[in-house]
Amino acid sequence: MRVLVTGGAGFIGANFVLQTVRERPDVQVTVLDALTYAGDEASLASVADAITFVRGDICDAALVDGLVAQSDLVVHFAAESHNDNSLHDPSPFVQTNVIGTFTLLEAVRKHGVRYHHISTDEVYGDLELDDPAKFTPDTPYNPSSPYSSTKASSDLLVRAWVRSFGVQATISNCSNNYGPLQHVEKFIPRQITNVIDGVRPKLYGTGQNVRDWIHVEDHNTAVWAIVERGRIGETYLIGADGEVDNKTVVETILDLMGQDADAYDLVSDRPGHDLRYAIDATRLRDELGWQPQYGSFREGLAATIDWYRANEAWWRPRKEATEAKYATLGR
Ligand code: NAD
Ligand code: DAU
């Protein structure tokens, strides 16, 4: 099977490629990635001989058309992915997340290629802290940020291309991922690398916001389950019942790294900051028999800390510029 992986040099896409090469020798992987500030070819160094890497933009219709024509499956990870950036400059989010997805959909429509669309639980907006409810595939779309609204837009394009043109597509909406190879702008790697640098972790607002954490390896096994056994046109929510508030995440990182549990700073809040995300993954578990392998968030976090300690050469080049950007936002 020939698989085109867009965004394969980013966090989740690179982990998907590494997992696929490791576990599926029958799959030929081609990565299409523009190598924006978020992409790093070094993430794929260990599999460079086993894959084809194409540097290019998913909005480049001619390039995309040629690559899709040679594929049996497209798994679309490429995106502008960071909420804080989208609040600063939404423009690349509209371009990549909406126009890029449109470009891919037109190509898979033309060539009759199976398509899996990677999306986020943020399309559903947020939940109250004391609400027992979780997001389900029937929750109405209600995105809050420029990032999540462009992801919601891209999901709706996929649904329309399935219904109007018979495109063979599935969609997954996943909760917050953690694990190796995540950019240091994101919450968990930012705090781990801050502690390594002797800098106090930074919590937005009061730290009460809740995210539903899943290990990136579990996200990617779910993607393969959906690609292989999912129903065309269907939406699958991916989550591993990992709700934790941000303050507890920071306290756990500090504890695992041998620091006092209160050695963090509260900083100004993100505008429009979503309060809580929580996923009901019943459909994925019951219909496709998927189960997460990473049972303990604390153990997964400890392994992630070990990875950042052992791979400073990977993250160090991006740390200074990332913190300079946050400094201009006062966070
Ligand atoms: P990331 O920012 O780490 O990686 C994005 C990748 O896309 C980078 O390699 C970048 O170079 C590439 N890219 C960006 N614009 C491009 C363009 N125009 N053409 C080609 N390549 C381009 O993102 P991530 O965290 O790995 O997220 C991957 C996907 O998963 C996204 O679609 C995101 O919305 C979704 N998602 C992420 C999470 C999470 O917790 N990180 C959770 C649920 C869903
Ligand atoms: O829910 C899935 C989404 O998870 C994905 O669609 C996004 O691509 C991904 O970036 C992530 O979005 P979040 O905005 O939830 O992730 P982030 O890592 O930016 O922040 C996680 C939480 O931590 C959020 O409540 C904001 C908070 N935070 C973040 C940073 C960077 C802090 O308190 N301090 C920080 O320094």
Side-chain angles (χ1 to χ4, degrees):
M1 185 201 276
R2 300 163 303 170
V3 182
L4 179 64
V5 181
T6 72
F11 164 46
I12 307 174
N15 277 287
F16 180 83
V17 171
L18 298 180
Q19 185 185 100
T20 300
V21 170
R22 192 172 66 235
E23 294 175 7
R24 295 170 186 268
D26 52 320
V27 174
Q28 272 174 253
V29 176
T30 297
V31 169
L32 171 60
D33 196 296
L35 297 181
T36 68
Y37 81 96
D40 190 344
E41 217 179 332
S43 301
L44 300 171
S46 64
V47 296
D49 294 341
I51 66 168
T52 303
F53 183 86
V54 178
R55 182 173 188 174
D57 193 326
I58 56 166
C59 302
D60 180 339
L63 174 66
V64 164
D65 185 84
L67 292 171
V68 168
Q70 297 162 35
S71 306
D72 305 303
L73 164 70
V74 174
V75 185
H76 175 35
F77 291 94
E80 287 291 335
S81 70
H82 194 40
N83 276 300
D84 289 321
N85 292 343
S86 81
L87 294 163
H88 181 63
D89 179 10
S91 160
F93 289 76
V94 175
Q95 182 66 17
T96 286
N97 299 358
V98 183
I99 305 299
T101 298
F102 162 74
T103 307
L104 286 159
L105 284 170
E106 285 294 82
V108 295
R109 169 159 89 106
K110 180 173 164 192
H111 297 289
V113 171
R114 171 86 168 85
Y115 173 86
H116 181 71
H117 185 72
I118 303 291
S119 193
T120 169
D121 59 358
E122 294 193 17
V123 299
Y124 299 114
D126 61 354
L127 299 160
E128 295 298 326
L129 289 179
D130 54 1
D131 186 349
K134 297 184 174 199
F135 298 136
T136 75
D138 298 322
T139 305
Y141 273 36
N142 187 26
S144 313
S145 73
Y147 162 67
S148 52
S149 63
T150 57
K151 292 298 291 185
S153 307
S154 68
D155 293 10
L156 297 183
L157 292 179
V158 179
R159 290 181 181 195
W161 262 241
V162 170
R163 176 152 173 175
S164 301
F165 304 124
V167 162
Q168 301 287 292
T170 39
I171 299 175
S172 54
N173 298 82
C174 188
S175 60
N176 286 61
N177 286 218
Y178 73 99
L181 297 169
Q182 188 169 29
H183 194 284
V184 289
E185 71 189 353
K186 301 297 197 302
F187 180 45
I188 287 177
R190 184 182 186 205
Q191 313 315 335
I192 294 171
T193 54
N194 274 354
V195 175
I196 290 172
D197 281 350
V199 173
R200 289 161 71 92
K202 299 188 190 315
L203 261 183
Y204 293 175
T206 59
Q208 66 178 333
N209 305 64
V210 170
R211 296 295 182 264
D212 189 352
W213 293 99
I214 181 172
H215 195 278
V216 63
E217 288 283 325
D218 284 333
H219 181 175
N220 285 327
T221 59
V223 170
W224 269 115
I226 297 164
V227 164
E228 290 181 326
R229 303 190 294 283
R231 281 179 290 141
I232 297 300
E234 210 52 77
T235 288
Y236 293 87
L237 269 55
I238 306 176
D241 297 321
E243 279 187 71
V244 190
D245 65 72
N246 292 342
K247 182 165 168 286
T248 303
V249 173
V250 161
E251 287 170 350
T252 309
I253 290 171
L254 285 164
D255 181 39
L256 288 166
M257 297 183 79
Q259 308 287 312
D260 292 340
D262 61 354
Y264 59 83
D265 291 327
L266 297 178
V267 296
S268 65
D269 208 352
R270 172 186 283 172
H273 196 175
D274 279 342
L275 206 45
R276 170 175 162 252
Y277 306 140
I279 288 278
D280 177 345
T282 302
R283 175 179 287 172
L284 178 68
R285 287 175 183 264
D286 289 0
E287 194 180 303
L288 305 185
W290 172 86
Q291 284 192 343
Q293 299 304 312
Y294 285 77
S296 154
F297 179 60
R298 188 181 167 88
E299 280 172 26
L301 208 47
T304 304
I305 291 167
D306 288 346
W307 189 89
Y308 280 89
R309 280 191 166 130
N311 289 278
E312 185 167 339
W314 180 85
W315 58 264
R316 176 61 68 193
R318 288 177 175 78
K319 182 67 177 166
E320 202 178 323
T322 301
E323 290 305 321
K325 208 189 287 183
Y326 277 122
T328 66
L329 301 173
R331 293 202 283 276

